[in-house]
Amino acid sequence: MIRVKLRAWTASFRYPTFQSGYQPTLPVPPPSTIQGILSAAKGEPVYLTELPYVGYVFRSGGKGLDLEKIYALGKVETDIMRREFLYNAELYLYLPDEWKEHFRRPRYQLLLGRSSDVATVEEIKEVSLEEKEAPVGGTVLPVNLGVPGVVHALVVEYDYSVTPRKARLVRPFVVLPFPRGKAPRLKFPYDKELGVGVYLHRWHE
C-alpha cells in the first residue's frame, strides 16, 4: 500500500443540502472528490467501485469565510455570496501500489474542491498499517458502522460516460472531522504518523 500526501493552500467541499446563498463547506472531502482526484492523476475517468480499496484522511488548519461576487446568467446585476473555505489543507490517500506512477506525474491538475483549490503532491511513500483501536476522523464512514455524527447522503462516484455527468452511486455517510480531542475509537488499520485509524472503503464488494 502507498500513502500519497497532497497539500493545498485552500480546499472547499460543497455542502449537499445548500444550493444557493451562503455556501458552507464539509469538513472533509466526499468520495466523489476522491474520484475526481484519482481521475485527474490518471488522466481518465476512474470509478471507485472498480478499485480494491481506497482510504483517505483529511485535515486542515481551520476554516475561513470568503466573499465572492457572482453574476446571474442573463442579468446585469451582481450579488455577493459568502463562501466558507478550509486553509492549509492536507489530504492523505491510501491506495494500491500501482497508483505510485500516476501521482509521480499527474496528467491533470489535482484539486481539493474548486478550480482555485490546486493541490500538489508532497510525498509518496510505502506504508504498512497494522490494525489497532484508535481515534478515527478526517474521513467519511458508512452509517452501518454505528458511529455517531452528522449524516449526509454523498455521491460516491459520477458516471462520466454521459453529459452532463450523473451520480452513479449515492450512499449515506457519517462525516467526521479530523480528531482533535475526543473522537470515536475503532479498530482500523492504524497510521502511527497521523495517530488515526484509516477506514479502507471497498465499494466493489
Side-chain angles (χ1 to χ4, degrees):
M1 177 189 299
I2 63 165
R3 191 187 73 184
V4 180
K5 179 183 179 182
L6 304 181
R7 179 182 289 279
W9 287 350
T10 60
S12 53
F13 310 113
R14 194 177 69 81
Y15 220 84
T17 53
F18 281 70
Q19 297 297 327
S20 62
Y22 186 83
Q23 295 288 307
T25 178
L26 291 173
V28 301
S32 58
T33 297
I34 306 303
Q35 181 196 18
I37 292 170
L38 298 184
S39 299
K42 191 173 182 180
E44 61 184 62
V46 171
Y47 294 98
L48 301 183
T49 51
E50 297 174 359
L51 301 181
Y53 63 85
V54 59
Y56 64 95
V57 173
F58 176 87
R59 64 183 180 184
S60 70
K63 187 189 296 183
L65 187 64
D66 197 9
L67 297 178
E68 193 171 75
K69 188 176 183 180
I70 60 171
Y71 294 85
L73 188 64
K75 299 180 180 178
V76 294
E77 65 263 30
T78 61
D79 200 357
I80 301 297
M81 186 178 67
R82 295 179 181 179
R83 185 176 65 82
E84 291 182 352
F85 66 92
L86 304 161
Y87 63 88
N88 196 18
E90 295 176 344
L91 176 64
Y92 297 83
L93 298 169
Y94 301 83
L95 297 161
D97 293 347
E98 56 266 29
W99 281 90
K100 185 184 300 183
E101 290 305 313
H102 298 310
F103 280 98
R104 277 181 175 164
R105 298 178 187 81
R107 182 69 175 82
Y108 299 111
Q109 298 93 335
L110 307 177
L111 305 174
L112 296 188
R114 296 156 54 100
S115 59
S116 57
D117 303 320
V118 179
T120 57
V121 178
E122 189 168 283
E123 181 186 59
I124 303 172
K125 66 186 295 186
E126 295 182 6
V127 294
S128 179
L129 307 181
E130 296 184 7
E131 287 207 356
K132 175 183 175 181
E133 186 176 294
V136 294
T139 191
V140 299
L141 297 178
V143 292
N144 59 13
L145 293 179
V147 176
V150 178
V151 176
H152 286 286
L154 301 175
V155 176
V156 174
E157 62 183 16
Y158 285 99
D159 183 354
Y160 287 100
S161 66
V162 296
T163 304
R165 67 179 186 178
K166 291 185 178 179
R168 193 158 88 162
L169 180 63
V170 180
R171 292 274 176 83
F173 293 96
V174 176
V175 178
L176 292 176
F178 189 83
R180 292 181 173 85
K182 190 175 181 181
R185 296 180 67 88
L186 294 171
K187 191 173 183 181
F188 286 158
Y190 178 64
D191 189 324
K192 184 178 179 181
E193 188 176 333
L194 300 183
V196 294
V198 179
Y199 182 75
L200 299 177
H201 295 274
R202 291 182 169 87
W203 284 295
H204 68 289
E205 293 174 345

